Amino acid sequence: MRECINALWPCAMTGAVSCLGGIAGMGVIIHGSSGCYYYPATVLHRELHCTFLIEQDIIFGAADRLRTLIREIRDRYGSLAVVNTCTPAIIGDDITDMPGCEDVIIIDSPGFLGSYESGYRLACESLPVTIDHDHEGVNLDGISLLDPFAQGNVMEAERILSLSGIPVAAVFSSCRLEDLGHAAPHTLSTNPDLSSPWGEPAGSLLGIDLTLQTVSGLTEITRGEYPEILQREAERAEERISRAADRFLRRFDPPSAAIFGEFSYAEYACRVLEKYFDATITVLGSRNRPGTTHFRVAEASSLSSVRDLLSRDPPDLIIGSSFEQMVCPGAAFVPFTYPLRGMVRLRDRPLIGIQGELGLMEDVLNACMDQGVRTELHDLPGTESGFPG
Amino acid sequence: MAVTDGITIIHGPDGCAHHTTSLLHALQVDHDRLFSPIILSSSLTESEIIFGGEEALGKAIRSAVARKPGLICVLTSCVSAAIGDDVQSVCNSSHCPDIIVVPTGGFLGGGFSEGVEQALLALSVLGGSGSEPDGSVTLIGEKNLEYEVDAHYRELSRLLSLLGIHIRLRFIRNVSTAALSQLGSGSLNILRDHSLEEVGESFRRRFGTPYIPSFPVGFSGTLRFLEQVGEQLGIDSRQAVKTERENQEQLIGNFRDLRGANVSFYGLSSSALPLSEELIQRFDLRPGTAGFTCSIPDPLPVGTAGLSRMLHRWRRVCRA
């Protein structure tokens, strides 16, 4: 068994709640203790309900308390979902077959079952989705409340698709409950680690290249016109990034970078840095089970593993969470994955599409330039304070 | 987890350890601290749920011991409590002298406050070095998850300095294991709030240390606090009270633009009622449903400085 010091990534229960909590009109009940409720309620910023189990409920059965709560709140929502937690799952309380609660969605994803992603996907599979084969739009998936890019990604996807005249149908998981009843037959991915089973996969928007490919494929499906304006925007964006990266590389060496996050996001960032910067990737630290890649990859779901990875090969640049920033305070840092503490972030930023790639490289270039200038100033004699005269 | 050279083992799934890691990290970073307490998870999974988690705990303890910490605390979770692991026996058989079991049991061991109480009582076994009371103060049970925790500490330090007293031990916040032995050698314990009175009583019985049951709240409460500390320590508090009263009057003057304002209190808890009444009277406020909506934070603002910060936020709302 691996050693886990300071676990950095939430459990399956939180994953399920983050999926369900994104559906407006769906009431989410955490069937567990105040401790299990407090964490998702704090980090997801959604109204959640909880049975707030106490010891007595475990002795005499917790189903009654759940039934009571369901009765109390059901009129407020179009649909209700219950996420089971560790202790009721262990004692084997049967909550799947409660009389009068047949329409309630039950997600059995106690924390001990596994990862955030597995809980999210389990909940996503259980959503009350009906595919409307006449819908002319596409669905989005991979949107999660925990993701700092979630809202920005939805906005960027809507913007890009609107250029092709394609509306967005259901968003898994950030839409109204009624949108789930009219989901489109095709789905675009924004984060392959959180893919949904709904609709035919129609490509990904993670990166400029994939975005163009995907939009091209979509226009074939919908028999629409390929938006030349998107092509021009993409070309301009790549030129702008290349120019800025060239300017940086005239003065500084390419940074060595360690990138942390969910596998698909982190792998995308590795590719972008290699493409524009010729950067050396010291490690791709994956919060979840890593997929296949040519980059050096390791699981990084505990602070001890992050420390090991960063001390083995200290990078110039870290793209990750405030955990990594804390471990390596001297490196240039780009905020990329949950949690992002000790900083204020108010603006919705995308990671996908054209604006996503521009935003990522903007953050990387600014962080590396600041770091490079600091190092230069430090190395120049007589410039301990202020700019060189 | 606020023992700087300690390791906490959470005997439960990684997710439980993450909840705590994440909340503490948020506060540490907010306070510009790059220190992260070590929280080791025994990583219970479905397999341990079926076959028992004692072996996993033994492994986690060995891993902690290898790091040579000053102290190891083992916290039980609801999962380990539900499957019935004999945690004390596993810890006894580890032959590690510096290991303390805190029987929290997740929600099976009670609520948040009970967990805090259990931890304070469990770690008090390290106190009582036998030395005579030294005139200093010990803070008991500061809320480590409270965003303003260090601001409250600064306010307590300021108020006590008016009496010429210093805080020697923060039981338990950012202290080493060795420093915990000072518990019992202070002359007065100040509890964070009334929920810790059983802990205060327990320490009074064991170490003979008197206690004040809560950090100071409100203008008059802060002055009364100074008087109480003076009485307990046999110090004439009149000058300190006079100085602080002048400080409060100046503060009230700084917020004179709030005087006579129509206000409606939002989400007022019963514990905040006396404070709201004092503020209504001091500022001649007109409570009702009209006017600007103001709230009193829970936990309540500590001391005069806490009130000042709250009044700034009120003024922001008033001007909006």
Side-chain angles (χ1 to χ4, degrees), chain A residues 18-248:
Chain A
S18 83
C19 173
L20 300 165
I23 306 297
M26 176 170 282
V28 183
I29 297 173
I30 295 171
H31 185 40
S33 68
S34 56
C36 289
Y37 164 80
Y38 182 69
Y39 174 74
T42 308
V43 298
L44 299 179
H45 308 292
R46 282 292 185 279
E47 185 184 41
L48 302 171
H49 301 275
C50 182
T51 45
F52 294 113
L53 299 183
I54 55 172
E55 194 166 7
Q56 271 176 317
D57 300 315
I58 300 308
I59 299 165
F60 299 111
D64 276 350
R65 193 181 271 263
L66 178 57
R67 262 192 298 271
T68 307
L69 180 57
I70 289 172
R71 254 198 318 272
E72 280 171 11
I73 66 168
R74 76 181 325 155
D75 290 345
R76 291 172 51 191
Y77 298 98
S79 180
L80 283 182
V82 175
V83 181
N84 206 15
T85 62
C86 291
T87 310
I90 292 169
I91 62 169
D93 238 8
D94 187 7
I95 57 167
T96 54
D97 196 19
M98 294 186 296
C101 301
E102 291 79 7
D103 56 337
V104 175
I105 300 163
I106 307 289
I107 317 289
D108 196 21
S109 65
F112 64 77
L113 266 194
S115 66
Y116 174 84
E117 287 74 17
S118 61
Y120 178 97
R121 282 196 295 264
L122 197 63
C124 198
E125 283 166 19
S126 311
L127 291 174
V129 176
T130 305
I131 302 287
D132 174 357
H133 289 278
D134 295 327
H135 201 300
E136 290 176 351
V138 289
N139 310 312
L140 298 176
D141 72 12
I143 302 295
S144 134
L145 291 176
L146 202 67
D147 180 359
F149 297 110
Q151 197 49 41
N153 281 352
V154 174
M155 289 160 69
E156 175 68 350
E158 284 172 343
R159 186 187 72 84
I160 287 171
L161 291 169
S162 72
L163 296 174
S164 314
I166 301 171
V168 171
V171 178
F172 307 107
S173 182
S174 176
C175 64
R176 297 171 308 165
L177 183 63
E178 46 270 38
D179 296 332
L180 299 180
H182 303 281
H186 293 92
T187 300
L188 298 185
S189 170
T190 63
N191 177 0
D193 290 316
L194 300 176
S195 57
S196 76
W198 305 112
E200 285 291 316
S204 165
L205 297 176
L206 199 50
I208 292 178
D209 296 346
L210 276 181
T211 298
L212 294 181
Q213 258 179 47
T214 298
V215 171
S216 167
L218 267 183
T219 49
E220 280 175 29
I221 292 169
T222 58
R223 296 195 184 89
E225 254 184 59
Y226 181 71
E228 291 303 328
I229 190 172
L230 187 71
Q231 181 73 39
R232 285 198 297 277
E233 185 188 328
E235 283 165 9
R236 263 202 315 273
E238 289 189 318
E239 275 171 27
R240 287 168 66 194
I241 299 173
S242 299
R243 216 174 19 248
D246 272 351
R247 191 171 162 77
F248 176 87

Side-chain angles (χ1 to χ4, degrees), chain A residues 1-4 6 39 322, chain B residues 14 18 25 37 39 41 59 63:
Chain A
M1 191 172 28
R2 68 196 166 75
E3 183 187 61
C4 180
N6 296 76
Y39 174 74
S322 47
Chain B
D14 287 349
H18 168 72
H25 168 69
I39 300 167
S41 165
K59 184 157 186 194
S63 174

